[in-house]
Amino acid sequence: MARTEYDYDSNGLARVYENTKWFLLDKNGNQVGERYSYIEEWGEGFYKAEQGIKKNILRTDGSVVLKEWHNDVFKVQKGFFLFSNTIRKSKTNPKTRYTYGVAHVNGDIIFPMIFDRAIWLEKGDGIYAEIGTQPYIITLDGSIYDPARAHLPKKVNIDYKDFFEKFANWTLPGLQFFYRDTDAPVIVNTTYHVGDVLRAGFFIDVTTKLLKPVHKTRFLIASAHAAMMCEISELCEENPNVEAWKLCTLHFNSYFKVMDVYEKEGVKQVFLLHIPPAAALFIGHDETAMNFVNEATGQETTLIEMARKNLDEKLQMEVHPRSLDKEFVERMSPPIGLDNEYYPVDPNKQEEPTEGPIANLSNLIHKLADDEDLKDFINVEDNFPFRGVVGTVCEGCIYANGIQGKGEGCGRLFIKSFRERYLKGRCEYHKTSIETPSEFEEMDKYHKKIEKEKVEKACDTFALNKLKKFIAERLDGDIKKLKDFDFYTLKEDTEFGDERVSVVGLESMLVKSILTLAFADTYPDFTYESMDKHKYKADTINITNTIFGINFEDYYKALETYDAPVELHDRVVRFGKKVHTIGNIMVLPFGLHQMRDTKPLGRGYCDVFLTEFYKMMVGAKKCNMKMFDALNLKKKEIAAFRTEDNFNHIVHALMLEDFLDPEKKTKAGFPRSL
């Protein structure tokens, strides 16, 4: 082959078409790789190869990039390319959709087909993709970025002003001292440190009053949320000691702040402040908050000073009988915040029982103590990149004034819908004024119109209104002018022509309206809507091509071939102008409409068509197998359906039963040949 016959590209290859196939040819005349349905340059020195409806990327050595072929591959950019498959509409898939993946020219699949939409960014430095409606950015290093930042943990912000107020209201109102003395072998100075926060670990029994300590350790607890068991008459009747001991109880999930450790005359007093669990977590070591509570007594002395003074005064008193009650002493013996082996209990809040006696006691203490934890002081914020209105899709929109917080919705959309459109930079609800409809409103109006017309098309309303309007506006109110009107002139008429701007006048809304009113009672389930759904079709009775051959405007091939007289030519021209008038239009079932003008189906002769079709369906020896090609059927696939019963079923569907005799055979017509 001479090199000058082909245009070689920068790879030194030429794309060659030969015997219905394409292949690559090098400058030495050698074929590179396989032959395909089509080959096209596809960016950065690569090619797109088509194999039927499947596509792939082709390298310069003739090898394909992807192991599997797909419905589409997109141009190579910076070594990457998109590939796609089509998922057709089905019972399980309500609408046709497309899936996209990302691959590299080395053959690696960077992302499988998980995206519902994918396009290159304008600068070519990344790919914009969507999963469902959620947007993502794919970078050229193969990573994926979520513009909404939904992958990041949410930010927790504490409204400390509100929290301090709630903390003070939980701690101070009703605050009083409770006592618990013990001789347990605990080394106070090394176990309890001022500033420590500890959890009770078990139900803490305390009393409202003790005098001079007879034990070496006293726990003085300042609390506004102790369960006052001694005030419950039923409990006191059941166990008189509850009232005698002035017994109160704190829940095992109670938290305490060690405010002071004070020693005098051999007694060590551990002063504990009962605090809510939230305070233990968020401000347990915040001295500002604790100092506020310590000093908020409403008196000149602090809580710590009051606690020390309390011990000083009690040391000067007699011993209270409770301190000598053996059962009471045993009940108060375990030190607060330590387990049976005197190790600190787990500071984390423990799961509470839901059934059984312990659960009942737990619930009772919570109810009596009113010790529910603090709430609604934590603000959880996400990482959504809201940057305001200017320079975004929201700019100029009448709903922008209703944008809440950091993009938690606008005057029209809730948070999810708003944020998706904000990130994408396109919003069908964008509206510049009350009077100007948004894209959504336009579409909504259109769909409502379609639904209304659908109802009207199912009866005569739409057809009647369309015909009345046409006569009034185009025929000056004279219905008689309809007789000679050429419907072909409506081929580009959006008012009365085809809703899809057809090139064929018989698809016009006017023709379908006329046929609806004329034949509604003639054909089964015949309505305007049935023609929209292609169950029936308008067709011409006399077909110009069938009678006079191929024509273009006033030229007719058959007349030129046989040197027809001028008078005959003029008559044929006049006939041609009558083809698309009301007197030459009929209704056909869609299948018959498709077949009537195709060889070897008899060029409109139904008896000839049925004779040949019957032979094909029953497998007759002298069967015209061109029938398969005319009907666009595949011989192997149709084989199982070629039966006499199916022949009769198709004849019934095409409403051609009048052409069959009682024995289901084709009636004899006048002699003619295919």
Side-chain angles (χ1 to χ4, degrees), residues 100-113:
Y100 296 83
V102 182
H104 191 269
V105 290
N106 64 10
D108 290 338
I109 302 295
I110 309 302
F111 289 98
M113 289 182 289

Side-chain angles (χ1 to χ4, degrees), residues 362-469:
S362 173
N363 294 334
L364 176 63
I365 292 172
H366 279 315
K367 182 177 180 181
L368 295 176
D370 188 22
D371 60 355
E372 186 178 14
D373 199 7
L374 304 183
K375 291 182 178 179
D376 304 325
F377 61 89
I378 299 176
N379 297 319
V380 179
E381 298 179 358
D382 56 27
N383 300 278
F384 184 73
F386 183 74
R387 62 181 188 277
V389 172
V390 178
T392 71
V393 69
C394 300
E395 188 171 7
C397 180
I398 62 173
Y399 300 123
N401 290 333
I403 295 176
Q404 304 160 26
K406 297 182 178 179
E408 282 82 29
C410 68
R412 180 64 178 80
L413 301 170
F414 291 115
I415 181 168
K416 184 175 185 296
S417 300
F418 171 81
R419 290 186 166 187
E420 285 179 352
R421 287 157 179 80
Y422 185 85
L423 290 174
K424 294 175 185 178
R426 59 182 189 277
C427 179
E428 68 273 29
Y429 298 94
H430 187 276
K431 193 174 171 71
T432 55
S433 69
I434 295 294
E435 297 76 19
T436 306
S438 65
E439 180 186 338
F440 172 81
E441 289 170 334
E442 292 281 13
M443 289 300 299
D444 185 57
K445 182 179 178 182
Y446 172 76
H447 288 305
K448 286 179 178 177
K449 176 187 175 186
I450 295 299
E451 287 300 315
K452 181 175 179 290
E453 289 184 353
K454 185 177 180 181
V455 174
E456 293 177 345
K457 288 176 180 179
C459 54
D460 294 342
T461 304
F462 181 85
L464 189 59
N465 290 340
K466 186 65 68 174
L467 181 58
K468 284 181 177 179
K469 187 174 183 180

Side-chain angles (χ1 to χ4, degrees), residues 371-603:
D371 60 355
E372 186 178 14
D373 199 7
L374 304 183
K375 291 182 178 179
D376 304 325
F377 61 89
I378 299 176
N379 297 319
V380 179
E381 298 179 358
D382 56 27
N383 300 278
F384 184 73
F386 183 74
R387 62 181 188 277
V389 172
V390 178
T392 71
V393 69
C394 300
E395 188 171 7
C397 180
I398 62 173
Y399 300 123
N401 290 333
I403 295 176
Q404 304 160 26
K406 297 182 178 179
E408 282 82 29
C410 68
R412 180 64 178 80
L413 301 170
F414 291 115
I415 181 168
K416 184 175 185 296
S417 300
F418 171 81
R419 290 186 166 187
E420 285 179 352
R421 287 157 179 80
Y422 185 85
L423 290 174
K424 294 175 185 178
R426 59 182 189 277
C427 179
E428 68 273 29
Y429 298 94
H430 187 276
K431 193 174 171 71
T432 55
S433 69
I434 295 294
E435 297 76 19
T436 306
S438 65
E439 180 186 338
F440 172 81
E441 289 170 334
E442 292 281 13
M443 289 300 299
D444 185 57
K445 182 179 178 182
Y446 172 76
H447 288 305
K448 286 179 178 177
K449 176 187 175 186
I450 295 299
E451 287 300 315
K452 181 175 179 290
E453 289 184 353
K454 185 177 180 181
V455 174
E456 293 177 345
K457 288 176 180 179
C459 54
D460 294 342
T461 304
F462 181 85
L464 189 59
N465 290 340
K466 186 65 68 174
L467 181 58
K468 284 181 177 179
K469 187 174 183 180
F470 179 79
I471 293 171
E473 296 181 3
R474 303 292 177 88
L475 302 181
D476 300 323
D478 186 0
I479 193 173
K480 293 181 180 179
K481 292 182 179 180
L482 194 63
K483 177 174 68 71
D484 297 316
F485 185 82
D486 186 355
F487 297 117
Y488 193 77
T489 61
L490 297 174
K491 65 179 181 177
E492 295 182 357
D493 190 316
T494 57
E495 176 68 20
F496 299 101
D498 185 2
E499 292 146 297
R500 299 172 302 279
V501 191
S502 172
V503 295
V504 181
L506 296 186
E507 289 293 317
S508 71
M509 289 180 277
L510 179 63
V511 170
K512 289 191 284 188
S513 296
I514 294 171
L515 294 178
T516 298
L517 298 172
F519 296 103
D521 298 330
T522 305
Y523 295 97
D525 302 319
F526 182 79
T527 62
Y528 191 109
E529 186 181 18
S530 67
M531 285 190 284
D532 269 356
K533 292 183 176 180
H534 307 295
K535 184 174 182 180
Y536 294 98
K537 280 292 225 184
D539 208 346
T540 52
I541 299 172
N542 295 296
I543 305 172
T544 311
N545 288 357
T546 302
I547 303 174
F548 303 110
I550 297 172
N551 71 290
F552 178 73
E553 293 184 351
D554 293 342
Y555 168 80
Y556 290 87
K557 183 177 180 180
L559 299 180
E560 298 295 331
T561 301
Y562 296 103
D563 195 22
V566 175
E567 294 80 3
L568 179 58
H569 181 271
D570 292 342
R571 184 179 178 185
V572 170
V573 170
R574 291 197 302 274
F575 170 79
K577 297 185 184 302
K578 294 286 186 179
V579 168
H580 292 97
T581 57
I582 195 169
N584 193 44
I585 296 175
M586 63 177 175
V587 177
L588 290 176
F590 181 74
L592 188 58
H593 165 82
Q594 295 290 89
M595 299 174 186
R596 69 184 295 247
D597 195 31
T598 307
K599 284 186 178 184
L601 307 186
R603 288 192 176 275

